[in-house]
Amino acid sequence: MLLPGLWLCLGFGCASSLSPSCLSAQFRRPGDFILGGLFPFGKDTVNLSARSEPTLLMCERLFTDGLIWALAMRFAIDQINNSSSLLPGITLGYDMYDTCFEALVALQPSLLFLTRNGTTGIGVLCNYTEYQPRVTAVIGPHKSDLCLVTAKLFSSFLIPQVSYGASSETLSNTELYPSFYRTVPSDKNLVEAVVLLLNQFGWNWIATIGSDDEYGRGAQALFLSMVGNENICIAFEGLIPTDLAEPSAKKKLEDTVKLINSTKVNVVVLFAFSLPAQALLEHSIRMGLGKKVWIGTEAWMLSDVAASIPNVQSIGTVLGFVMRTGTLPGFQEYVAELFGSVEQEEFCRESRELSRLMNAEVLDTHCQQCGHVTLGDIWPMLRVTVVQPVHVAVYGVAYALHRALGCTSKACPKTPIRSWQLLHFMNTLPFEVNGQSFRFDQSHGTNTGYKLIFWAWRNGTLTYLPVGDYDQSLYIRKSQIQFHTADQKEPTSECFRRCQPGQIRRIKGFNLCCYDCTDCPENTFWSSTDSTSCSPCPQHQWAPARSAQCYDRSERFLFWDEPLAEALVTLTALSTALSAGTALLFLKHLQTPLVQVSGGGRNLFALLSLALLSLSCCLHVGRPSDGLCTVQQLSHALCLNGCFSTFVPKALEITLVTEFPRCAPRLLRWVTHSRAWLLVAASLLTEGLLCLWHLQLGPDFLVADYQSLPSEVLLVCGTKSWLAFALLHGYNSCLAFACFLCTFMVQTPGGRYNVARGITFATLIYFIIWIFFIVSFPTLRTVLRAVTQICIILATTLGILVSYFIPKCYIIVFRPDLNTGDYFQNPIEEEPEEDLG
């Protein structure tokens, strides 16, 4: 165990020192299977002594982080080697190298890992199935930029590479990087959490800043692609430089702060590592940007570099997401024990001796200066959540080895395993670390969720206060967040008020993210959050104003139970009863002069027709159908024709007697007595033929009217052929008009009953009613269409009854003294007296 002693002595200042170019720490241990470790220990600079104080602090921080990650890897390997069940009889070795956060530096040990085991060369082969590289798997590096370079190398040889910090979504492409794994969530999960956070607080007018590296560019691109569908508008997006030594870095940072200030946003989302984030925050304070809500990520939120900025409290409120992990039981004790060993002179002496014996395979750059690291320097960092991903990465490879070798709880077969054979076992079953289950998903990542952290300042001391959790959904304990506003409530950050469901955006001005909200009109609905127009409802549905969905239309017709229908049905019953009562009265007094002069038995037929006409009103109440629509007009026309056909013989009789007295004796026999029924039958036959023609041309049919009513479908009877309709009812109008012409000029001597006057008034009322009907009926598009038809029928029926039959009933009942032959003398008998006179 001497080589690890050399490793610790290199870092902790026994006899070796630190390099000004980078801390190139070589940590090696032989074993049955060797893991390659790529860890950052420093930052490549030209002259350490010329660094400013913040840069020097950053160098020391990088060294500390890298050292902790390396310690976590060695801790995991020692645990596995000491386990009696995971890899019994198998010893894991390791080679650890410094990446210096530089791609070129990371390539050197990566190429060494790819060399054939036992040599320093890489074989150029057509088939690498039996190729055995120097290491079985690789742990690291930390940054996505470096992993994008190294992952292509290791994927070419199908060597498993497990990163403990690379979160770029690009690395989720398993076709390009089939052997790359990571024990941290991808940026996609992080961005989804940030979007949910913005939505919960209603912040839809924001600025987003990213560092100009793979992490910043990738996370910001994902964020921009997601917010477009979440009704969140980006007032400003920009990149800040990662190399702060370049001449233009300061101007870029100042321009970024100015642009953020000009947008008037209150929320800034920052995807960056600690050093660029520190620089941006320093410029924001110096330039007086004002207090904002800064939404950060683990890359800078937990950094003491950013938190140590002078007057950093003045930037406002800091919220951000950090990976949900736990501490490693026994890790602190392990590190304390190692540091205790370093203090022993014998330990350091052996390290110096073995350092001189290291072979040329090891990339060796000794360190000259950078100071000494003590246990107190790294002790506060041992609780940071970034330790667990390294631990889980080592265990992921160990469990894959366990399954690939076919180990039992007592022993592992001593069979050679190629690196590519581990990939299948890393993709299958979950593995357990410290009682927590992990597994690599389809994109070769582990998603343990996030904690929402709030920077809470208490007596000038920063506390990372957990205020929420994210695992597919976001839960926030808002009461624990004290914002920088006067009332400590969340500030607003919106160019527009968030449109409510049922409202669409009307762009105002030149910025597409500034708009007013307009209600969707009736029968349209708001279909989606990004919709700029209201969508019309399907024909069978409707929507009120400001609606987010459509509803099925209810059917509208004249229901039996509605008050209007009940009133009309009552009126129909009265009209029918009046017709029937009049018929019974006429039947009882059938042989009296009054009934005989009025038409005798034909009156009973007319009253029966009027009763049936009244009853036909019921065809217009209730849900219509094609059959009902057909019967409605036919029954109306036939019943009305039955009444008017009885008026025709009497009208002709009156005309012959008054206007053609010389021809009357010869022609009267065709319009009186039993032969008058021939005219009634002929009229009904003609109307019947017109009804058949109406059916042939096209009967009335059921129409579903979706336009007339806003929320209902109106069921009405539509007219297919207006020609057939005109002929059907026009024939009755012709009969009525003929009766009117025959009777309206007839004069009766004083003291006699004028039979013609009743026919005149009956037909005149009919015409007045039908003029109103013809004008109103074609334009009606509501339930009043059916009501109007009922009213027309009842008005016609009652008009005929009142003008023609009721006066006769009055005489029969109340003035029987007038029901005599002298008062109701038949015109046939009256005419000769007129001629003699």
Side-chain angles (χ1 to χ4, degrees), residues 362-510:
V362 178
L363 301 173
D364 184 21
T365 304
H366 290 283
C367 305
Q368 301 299 324
Q369 53 187 327
C370 194
H372 302 283
V373 178
T374 65
L375 182 61
D377 294 329
I378 68 169
W379 188 259
M381 303 301 300
L382 298 181
R383 299 181 181 87
V384 177
T385 56
V386 294
V387 175
Q388 190 183 45
V390 181
H391 198 72
V392 174
V394 177
Y395 266 88
V397 176
Y399 272 96
L401 275 171
H402 176 90
R403 294 164 187 155
L405 290 170
C407 297
T408 65
S409 59
K410 296 182 179 180
C412 289
K414 294 288 185 176
T415 56
I417 292 294
R418 303 289 184 258
S419 296
W420 57 268
Q421 293 176 302
L422 297 180
L423 297 179
H424 169 72
F425 297 98
M426 295 187 70
N427 293 335
T428 53
L429 300 176
F431 56 94
E432 188 173 298
V433 181
N434 295 327
Q436 186 177 358
S437 180
F438 297 89
R439 76 176 304 156
F440 295 107
D441 56 26
Q442 292 181 348
S443 60
H444 294 179
T446 59
N447 185 10
T448 56
Y450 292 94
K451 290 190 298 183
L452 179 62
I453 298 298
F454 166 60
W455 273 16
W457 295 93
R458 296 172 180 173
N459 299 323
T461 302
L462 174 61
T463 302
Y464 301 112
L465 180 64
V467 293
D469 295 280
Y470 170 75
D471 189 1
Q472 307 302 323
S473 61
L474 179 62
Y475 170 72
I476 304 177
R477 295 179 288 276
K478 293 184 179 181
S479 61
Q480 298 184 8
I481 304 176
Q482 297 180 351
F483 288 92
H484 59 267
T485 54
D487 57 359
Q488 296 185 341
K489 300 295 184 181
E490 63 267 21
T492 59
S493 186
E494 53 186 8
C495 176
F496 54 87
R497 63 183 180 92
R498 184 176 294 274
C499 291
Q500 299 299 317
Q503 295 182 319
I504 58 171
R505 296 176 293 181
R506 296 295 185 192
I507 306 300
K508 61 179 181 179
F510 299 99

Side-chain angles (χ1 to χ4, degrees), residues 520-752:
C520 286
E522 287 186 354
N523 290 327
T524 63
F525 70 103
W526 170 77
S527 58
S528 62
T529 55
D530 57 348
S531 179
T532 57
S533 62
C534 299
S535 302
C537 290
Q539 182 175 262
H540 66 283
Q541 293 184 322
W542 76 285
R546 193 174 175 176
S547 177
Q549 67 180 82
C550 292
Y551 306 91
D552 291 334
R553 289 177 178 267
S554 58
E555 293 182 344
R556 184 67 177 104
F557 47 84
L558 189 60
F559 294 94
W560 285 97
D561 57 350
E562 62 180 290
L564 182 59
E566 292 176 350
L568 292 174
V569 170
T570 301
L571 194 59
T572 297
L574 292 175
S575 176
T576 305
L578 185 60
S579 300
T582 303
L584 291 176
L585 185 63
F586 269 54
L587 179 61
K588 182 178 180 180
H589 299 85
L590 184 61
Q591 300 304 323
T592 62
L594 185 151
V595 176
Q596 289 298 316
V597 169
S598 301
R602 296 192 300 276
N603 288 322
L604 300 178
F605 184 77
L607 290 169
L608 176 63
S609 298
L610 290 178
L612 293 176
L613 182 61
S614 297
L615 290 175
S616 70
C617 293
C618 296
L619 299 175
H620 298 271
V621 184
R623 191 184 190 280
S625 63
D626 287 329
L628 283 177
C629 291
T630 301
V631 174
Q632 283 176 4
Q633 298 301 326
L634 298 182
S635 62
H636 184 184
L638 282 173
C639 293
L640 189 61
N641 184 267
C643 179
F644 283 156
S645 63
T646 62
F647 291 170
V648 172
K650 178 56 65 176
L652 291 176
E653 178 185 346
I654 294 172
T655 301
L656 288 175
V657 171
T658 57
E659 301 297 333
F660 305 100
R662 298 184 183 276
C663 302
R666 179 167 44 89
L667 298 176
L668 282 176
R669 64 178 182 270
W670 294 101
V671 295
T672 58
H673 305 299
S674 59
R675 291 187 178 182
W677 287 101
L678 294 176
L679 289 176
V680 175
S683 177
L684 286 171
L685 178 61
T686 302
E687 187 67 26
L689 292 175
L690 290 175
C691 289
L692 292 176
W693 195 13
H694 181 270
L695 294 175
Q696 185 67 30
L697 290 178
D700 290 3
F701 59 98
L702 179 64
V703 175
D705 183 2
Y706 295 97
Q707 305 300 324
S708 300
L709 301 177
S711 62
E712 300 168 308
V713 51
L714 179 64
L715 299 181
V716 294
C717 293
T719 301
K720 186 174 183 180
S721 172
W722 286 102
L723 174 62
F725 179 89
L727 291 175
L728 189 66
H729 293 283
Y731 178 67
N732 286 331
S733 298
C734 291
L735 291 181
F737 187 65
C739 293
F740 177 79
L741 290 178
C742 292
T743 59
F744 86 101
M745 291 294 291
V746 174
Q747 298 293 326
T748 301
R752 301 289 177 88

